[in-house]
């Protein structure tokens, strides 16, 4: 058996429910090779996604659960520093300087 058509995993056939091999063709597309139902090429992206979801690929690391990002501690509130007020110039009118 050539390296291109070697079994790379297994999947349950959707038609006969037997466990069958998953292979790659020369274009690197996955297909199901059922001895009862025949070759099932699912070349469209949706078909490739279905094979990847349902198949057990040999040597592939299991998908890890998504890791939630660590929460940073609450930032320490720094007191807001306001610049010192500039003294106002006197206008010469006491009622306006208030």
């Amino acid at each position: 058996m050539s390296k291109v058509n070697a079994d790379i995993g297994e999947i349950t056939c959707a038609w006969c429910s037997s466990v069958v091999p998953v292979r790659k063709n020369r274009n690197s597309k996955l297909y199901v090779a059922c001895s009862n139902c025949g070759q099932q090429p699912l070349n469209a992206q949706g078909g490739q996604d279905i094979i990847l979801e349902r198949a057990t690929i040999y040597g592939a690391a299991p998908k890890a659960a998504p890791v939630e990002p660590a929460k940073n501690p609450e930032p320490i509130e720094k007191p807001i520093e306001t610049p010192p007020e500039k003294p106002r110039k006197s206008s010469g009118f006491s009622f306006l300087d208030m």
Side-chain angles (χ1 to χ4, degrees):
M1 186 176 292
S2 71
K3 193 173 187 180
V4 174
N5 293 338
D7 297 349
I8 62 166
E10 61 187 19
I11 191 169
T12 303
C13 179
W15 287 271
C16 68
S17 300
S18 60
V19 177
V20 295
V22 173
R23 297 180 181 154
K24 258 188 188 178
N25 66 12
R26 64 177 164 227
N27 297 326
S28 297
K29 297 284 187 173
L30 300 173
Y31 67 93
V32 178
C34 181
S35 59
N36 299 326
C37 305
Q39 183 175 324
Q40 303 165 24
L42 301 169
N43 293 331
Q45 186 60 43
Q48 296 291 296
D49 292 340
I50 288 172
I51 292 174
L52 286 173
E53 287 174 7
R54 298 179 183 175
T56 302
I57 305 297
Y58 304 140
K63 292 183 181 179
V67 178
E68 293 183 24
K71 293 182 180 178
N72 291 334
E74 295 294 324
I76 300 172
E77 293 184 26
K78 295 180 181 177
I80 299 173
E81 296 179 19
T82 56
E85 289 187 25
K86 295 179 182 176
R88 294 184 180 180
K89 290 184 180 179
S90 175
S91 65
F93 299 101
S94 62
F95 64 90
L96 290 178
D97 293 334
M98 293 179 164

